[in-house]
Amino acid sequence: MTAENDFLEEYSAESFPRPSLAVDVALVTIINKQLHVLMIRRVEHPDQDHWQLPGTFVHLAETLEAAAARALAEKTVAGPVFTEQLYTFGRLDRDPRTRVVSVAYYALVDPARIRDPIEGQLLGAIAVPWQGETGGPVQILDQSGPLEVAFDHAEIVGTVVKRLRGKLNYAPVGYELLPRRFTLLELQTVHETIMGEPINKDSFRRRMLASGELVPTGEKQRGVGHRPASLYRMAPSRP
Amino acid sequence: MTAENDFLEEYSAESFPRPSLAVDVALVTIINKQLHVLMIRRVEHPDQDHWQLPGTFVHLAETLEAAAARALAEKTVAGPVFTEQLYTFGRLDRDPRTRVVSVAYYALVDPARIRDPIEGQLLGAIAVPWQGETGGPVQILDQSGPLEVAFDHAEIVGTVVKRLRGKLNYAPVGYELLPRRFTLLELQTVHETIMGEPINKDSFRRRMLASGELVPTGEKQRGVGHRPASLYRMAPSRP
DNA sequence: GAAATAGTGTCTTTAAGACAGTATGTG
DNA sequence: CACATACTGTCTTAAAGACACTATTTC
């Protein structure tokens, strides 16, 4: 393509047929040491009664982040949520009706802040059929077994798991899934849940305390039936 | 937003005003132990005579990857290029003419495969004004100093550097910037150039050889004025 | 043989894993 | 006092860094 073509295309872009742009958001939390994700039942064709991630089209005067927040709004969470862009999915046939390119986001939240899902929503357990950071689609289960997942959303959730596992190796991701104050064992459990494998406790404690990311609050657990653990919070100013 | 609203919006989406969707591609290589990126001079307003990344609008029946390949086609490289999605940029005012959301890609290529840039193109040196994986925009320099960079493209290139530095910690990224067969020292130089700091040679050799990613070809350098180093290539089947 | 980088062997330092032993809550 | 988990200290193991020394090519 020459600069001339670029020029022509740029100025007439408004009139060319072009892809629609959407956002989909995977709201992830941990329940019973298992990753869960918020799914919504589709009431219309295609994929009627299958389950999808909350999503919406991006409006003309709206940032991607604002669209993602709007997709989550009124859904299930109270208050602000850690949200980060994941990946943009653009397969030609990912939506059979029309060409839709979707910018996927993931959001992490303490399960205590999630309201009970209403009719047509549920928190499905994420079953990861691969090890490490291999990647690929995942299964999403409710009490009765695997859900039928609409569009490419099982692949999107798989990409979330892959991303979370990658980030844990160099960034303190897990605390967004915990209350503001937490114990080292709670944080370790979050890491183990994301990684899908046990972690050496001694080494984990040393690494976390040496990282400088954790600030002791001076408080301790109460009423736990054993020696209470110290409560920590994340260091506020991280680059 | 309720499911009902989703439904209405979905089916009438074609008629609502919505963002344009583009791709921009940062073609990165290494020249004289410095990261370089292909830039193109804008011939039109806005930002006339500033420099931008090659980019194009996404056509209706075209994947994002195909659009990225099209943006690079006929530009400067011979043959296929390693290309990967980077991030999607959606600031409202990133293009002053109209709302354009851009899916950015980066491409890595051996400098020997780049033809000399024609008029209106150049390979600018990337000057990174931050350490480690801090992130942020970078400067792009030609012989006479910093270029004026159009739109948010300095931020896009900064994101490429940040991504490359992150990937080096767990993936063998650098070999795409080298010929098919290369020495350990050449690979180390690539890593040092990306990270922006020197690497311990002994440890680097041990890590690379222990990783199992490198396959000795049995060949050696020739005519180098010193003891010739063994040539390696990357292991073919990596997950 | 001089120059230059490749490659080997070994010692030191640091982080991870293993594990014993002590500490401090609840019941 | 029994139990359960928190925490501390020390030993072992593995990886990274430092460095001395030998190897192989061109000129």
Side-chain angles (χ1 to χ4, degrees), chain A residues 85-104:
Chain A
Q85 192 187 111
L86 177 67
Y87 193 80
T88 299
F89 294 82
R91 245 184 33 218
L92 292 181
D93 59 350
R94 55 182 298 282
D95 187 317
R97 290 162 298 183
T98 178
R99 180 78 195 288
V100 182
V101 170
S102 176
V103 184

Side-chain angles (χ1 to χ4, degrees), chain A residues 1 7 9-11 14 18-20 44-45 58-60 62 70 85 87-88 92 97-99, chain B residues 7 9-11 14 18-20 44-45 58-60 62 70 75 85 88 92 97-99:
Chain A
M1 163 163 297
F7 163 74
E9 194 175 359
E10 271 185 11
Y11 279 82
E14 305 276 338
R18 54 207 158 100
S20 298
E44 295 295 329
H45 285 294
V58 179
H59 294 172
L60 189 61
E62 175 185 55
R70 191 161 53 76
Q85 192 187 111
Y87 193 80
T88 299
L92 292 181
R97 290 162 298 183
T98 178
R99 180 78 195 288
Chain B
F7 163 73
E9 193 175 0
E10 272 186 9
Y11 279 83
E14 304 277 338
R18 54 207 156 101
S20 297
E44 294 296 329
H45 284 293
V58 179
H59 294 172
L60 189 61
E62 175 185 55
R70 191 161 52 78
K75 281 288 188 285
Q85 193 187 110
T88 298
L92 292 181
R97 289 162 298 183
T98 178
R99 178 80 195 288

Side-chain angles (χ1 to χ4, degrees), chain A residues 19-231:
Chain A
S20 298
L21 185 65
V23 295
D24 290 305
V25 186
L27 178 71
V28 172
T29 193
I30 294 182
I31 300 171
N32 290 333
K33 303 192 179 184
Q34 268 207 299
L35 288 173
H36 283 67
V37 61
L38 176 68
M39 303 296 287
I40 297 179
R41 186 203 299 273
R42 285 189 60 76
V43 294
E44 295 295 329
H45 285 294
D47 287 349
Q48 188 175 26
D49 290 332
H50 290 205
W51 296 80
Q52 67 166 110
L53 298 172
T56 186
F57 285 96
V58 179
H59 294 172
L60 189 61
E62 175 185 55
T63 63
L64 299 170
E65 288 73 23
R70 191 161 53 76
L72 275 188
E74 306 290 324
K75 282 288 189 285
T76 315
V77 191
V81 187
F82 170 86
T83 304
E84 196 169 79
Q85 192 187 111
L86 177 67
Y87 193 80
T88 299
F89 294 82
R91 245 184 33 218
L92 292 181
D93 59 350
R94 55 182 298 282
D95 187 317
R97 290 162 298 183
T98 178
R99 180 78 195 288
V100 182
V101 170
S102 176
V103 184
Y105 280 76
Y106 69 98
L108 305 178
V109 67
D110 171 16
R113 291 177 51 205
I114 302 190
R115 292 192 284 269
D116 276 344
I118 60 172
E119 167 66 22
Q121 302 180 5
L122 63 77
L123 287 163
I126 302 176
V128 183
W130 33 267
Q131 301 277 311
E133 295 174 45
T134 309
V138 294
Q139 283 197 311
I140 300 175
L141 319 172
D142 73 350
Q143 296 74 2
S144 50
L147 302 179
E148 296 200 289
V149 178
F151 308 127
D152 55 358
H153 290 193
E155 187 186 342
I156 294 178
V157 177
T159 306
V160 174
V161 175
K162 182 177 173 171
R163 168 75 62 91
L164 289 175
R165 288 185 178 181
K167 280 204 102 169
L168 264 199
N169 292 321
Y170 64 92
V173 164
Y175 72 95
E176 293 95 346
L177 294 162
L178 289 171
R180 201 174 63 80
R181 293 170 305 172
F182 51 84
T183 70
L184 282 173
L185 185 57
E186 286 168 344
L187 186 60
Q188 179 174 347
T189 303
V190 167
H191 281 230
E192 289 175 334
T193 301
I194 291 174
M195 300 305 281
E197 58 190 17
I199 295 172
N200 181 281
K201 178 176 168 178
D202 304 274
S203 156
F204 182 80
R205 291 179 66 89
R206 265 184 308 217
R207 256 192 304 130
M208 287 300 134
L209 293 174
S211 74
E213 305 279 5
L214 294 183
V215 178
T217 63
E219 301 163 286
K220 287 182 182 299
Q221 287 180 312
R222 289 169 53 170
V224 283
H226 54 76
R227 175 172 173 178
S230 295
L231 292 169

Side-chain angles (χ1 to χ4, degrees), chain A residues 1-19:
Chain A
M1 163 163 297
T2 66
E4 201 170 355
N5 283 340
D6 281 338
F7 163 74
L8 290 173
E9 194 175 359
E10 271 185 11
Y11 279 82
S12 51
E14 305 276 338
S15 55
F16 274 113
R18 54 207 158 100

Side-chain angles (χ1 to χ4, degrees), chain B residues 65-76:
Chain B
E65 288 72 24
R70 191 161 52 78
L72 275 188
E74 305 291 324
K75 281 288 188 285
T76 315

